[in-house]
Amino acid sequence: MSAGRSALRMGPAELVQAAAMARRFYLEGKSKIQIAEEFGVSRFKVARVLETALERDLVRIEIRVPAELDAERSDALRARYGLRHAVVVESPSEGADESPDPENLGEVAADLLGELVTEGDVLGLAWGRSTIHMAAALDRLPPCTVVQLTGVYDAGTAERGSVEAVRRAAQVSGGEAHPIYAPMLLPDPATAAALRHQTGIARAFDYFDKVTVACVSIGSWEPGISTVHDMLSDEERAHYASLGVAAEMSAHLFDADGRRVGRDLGERCITVEADRLRRIPEVVAIAGGQRKAAAIGAVLRSGLVTSLVTDTAAADYLLTGSRPAPHPALERSDPDH
């Protein structure tokens, strides 16, 4: 604009030129240098015109994501906890306080896995309602091997639980499935050790070090929210509660600061070891709801999780009432490179 012309007004020639330059830049993808050559002006002039076009509302830039995704919370959560990916979905309008892990988390997680998994990957699935919902929602996966990372909550329901989730993911991807037909929790370490050496279970365990993308659930230490909590006796629950358990993930227990406690429980469980989880390049946790919010924060502080799919109810707590965590994604190699 000329110096003598009102800053609030563009003349017709300026409007036409600005509109043409904006069309070249935003719609046709031409560079500022190419536009400058076409119009016979400097690239600095082009930059000023484009800036003026935005200021005068001649050009409007909109960033749109599906209504159920909260892009602002997602980005804030990713930055605060140093995650590789954070996806926040809208909590159900009713019952958000009472319903941890809404089913739409699994649907969004299924789409995320479709982005993250590449051909030849080994995908690991741990027991959890949210991972079961995720597997049921899968409609695309590149060819990959799928391995079960934990035993099942109830061996009698294996066909409808994590075993079926592994089979479903393998079916979608066209890859091999390595399920584990065994309970997650055993009566004693000796029984668990014996089961780990059984052929089918040992074959699944052999894949643990090859897992490139893992999908896990998180539970808070209360009835109905942690399957491990529900499998223990009252005496055992009281014992682990006395150690300050705040969260559970794949039969590993964590206090509010993300430190592992009650490690003896792992000796009785069929599950991937925490150290192996820490070496997996991408560990995606699926968990939401206010009742799980503190537990999610505890697990994030453990540094075992690199990405998170959650809802707005949990995200609001994690962004305000929860201490930040280490940056696990920065400590592991990016699986895309």
Side-chain angles (χ1 to χ4, degrees), residues 24 59 75 99 101 122 151 158 160 165 190 233 245 248 264 272 297 311 326:
R24 304 289 194 279
V59 174
D75 187 56
S99 302
D101 298 343
V122 177
R160 302 190 302 275
S233 67
V245 174
E248 173 264 318
D264 60 305
V272 61
D311 65 354

Side-chain angles (χ1 to χ4, degrees), residues 23-277:
R23 178 175 293 278
R24 304 289 194 279
F25 186 73
Y26 292 107
L27 299 183
E28 299 176 11
K30 291 188 176 181
S31 69
K32 293 175 183 176
I33 293 177
Q34 290 174 314
I35 298 171
E37 291 175 350
E38 178 183 348
F39 286 87
V41 298
S42 71
R43 61 186 177 89
F44 302 105
K45 166 72 172 177
V46 173
R48 288 197 299 272
V49 170
L50 293 175
E51 183 178 348
T52 301
L54 286 171
E55 291 174 351
R56 300 295 177 266
D57 211 23
L58 189 62
V59 174
R60 297 182 182 181
I61 298 176
E62 292 184 329
I63 300 174
R64 292 185 176 182
V65 296
E68 69 270 16
L69 298 183
D70 191 310
E72 185 175 349
R73 285 184 175 93
S74 297
D75 187 56
L77 201 60
R78 179 200 56 77
R80 181 176 175 84
Y81 289 91
L83 298 169
R84 186 170 289 124
H85 304 283
V87 182
V88 178
V89 305
E90 289 291 337
S91 299
S93 56
E94 296 182 5
D97 295 351
E98 305 300 327
S99 302
D101 298 343
E103 289 193 23
N104 61 339
L105 292 186
E107 296 168 2
V108 172
D111 287 340
L112 178 62
L113 279 191
E115 293 182 59
L116 300 182
V117 176
T118 59
E119 184 172 353
D121 275 344
V122 177
L123 172 62
L125 300 182
W127 158 263
R129 298 180 187 91
S130 56
T131 53
I132 292 170
H133 291 153
M134 179 276 300
L138 281 172
D139 59 11
R140 63 185 175 100
L141 272 182
C144 65
T145 299
V146 186
V147 60
Q148 194 168 322
L149 296 178
T150 64
V152 299
Y153 173 49
D154 181 350
T157 63
E159 296 299 317
R160 302 190 302 275
S162 46
V163 169
E164 178 56 31
V166 169
R167 285 178 170 175
R168 167 66 181 167
Q171 179 185 29
V172 172
S173 74
E176 296 181 2
H178 294 277
I180 294 177
Y181 293 96
M184 181 189 293
L185 180 65
L186 282 303
D188 53 70
T191 304
L195 276 177
R196 292 188 198 106
H197 287 92
Q198 287 190 357
T199 303
I201 298 174
R203 186 180 300 117
F205 268 65
D206 286 342
Y207 274 92
F208 285 1
D209 284 330
K210 304 173 185 177
V211 173
T212 50
V213 180
C215 199
V216 301
S217 297
I218 296 172
S220 57
W221 200 244
E222 57 179 301
I225 311 296
S226 164
T227 52
V228 173
H229 177 282
D230 293 345
M231 286 189 282
L232 296 173
S233 67
D234 290 341
E235 183 179 354
E236 289 169 327
R237 292 169 190 155
H239 165 67
Y240 291 117
S242 72
L243 302 179
V245 174
E248 173 264 318
M249 180 182 70
S250 301
H252 301 297
L253 309 181
F254 305 87
D255 67 11
D257 293 319
R259 294 185 295 255
R260 286 186 60 209
V261 296
R263 295 181 184 229
D264 60 305
L265 181 64
E267 298 174 4
R268 296 170 49 195
C269 293
I270 303 297
T271 186
V272 61
E273 298 94 329
D275 288 342
R276 278 177 162 170
L277 273 176

